[in-house]
Amino acid sequence: MENQERPVWMTDPLVKDIPEKKLKFVEELFAKGHGKSQKEMMAYLMPMMKKAKAENLTFTPQEMNAAIAAIRKHSTKDELTQIDKILEKSWSGQAKP
């Protein structure tokens, strides 16, 4: 495992019990979603959700809440705004964690 290349949030105690594969998926979701417009976000999220399903990646509400909390904890104000946009789009039509 290359700790020096991992985002700080991935080493946070909040996510210590989440499998690495799931953490990498969440990291990709947030990293590639950063800076996208609403239209771009919708086009981006659909294939990501299909990818998760294809890889049998399912998240418990606790895992998702822990990952989001860890990401938010280590984010700047601008990043928090973008995270909120990503979450708003990704939870459309679903119960929020």
Side-chain angles (χ1 to χ4, degrees):
M1 202 160 19
E2 321 98 3
N3 273 345
Q4 63 272 28
E5 294 183 28
R6 296 172 79 203
V8 176
W9 72 266
M10 288 176 81
T11 62
D12 192 284
L14 287 167
V15 297
K16 69 178 174 30
D17 295 326
I18 300 175
E20 184 73 16
K21 185 174 182 178
K22 290 182 180 184
L23 291 177
K24 287 182 177 183
F25 178 83
V26 172
E27 202 281 328
E28 181 182 356
L29 180 69
F30 280 96
K32 291 184 178 176
H34 188 75
K36 294 193 181 308
S37 69
Q38 182 176 356
K39 187 176 182 178
E40 291 169 326
M41 278 303 298
M42 293 311 293
Y44 167 69
L45 286 173
M46 295 311 289
M48 287 299 289
M49 295 302 132
K50 286 181 183 174
K51 177 182 176 181
K53 188 175 183 177
E55 294 181 13
N56 290 322
L57 283 178
T58 58
F59 293 85
T60 66
Q62 294 81 9
E63 287 173 331
M64 193 51 80
N65 286 337
I68 291 167
I71 292 168
R72 293 180 68 85
K73 184 174 166 183
H74 299 281
S75 296
T76 66
K77 196 170 194 152
D78 286 343
E79 289 169 335
L80 288 172
T81 300
Q82 186 63 34
I83 288 166
D84 289 340
K85 280 172 55 177
I86 292 168
L87 291 174
E88 182 180 314
K89 302 301 173 260
S90 63
W91 296 115
S92 296
Q94 298 179 33
K96 291 186 182 183

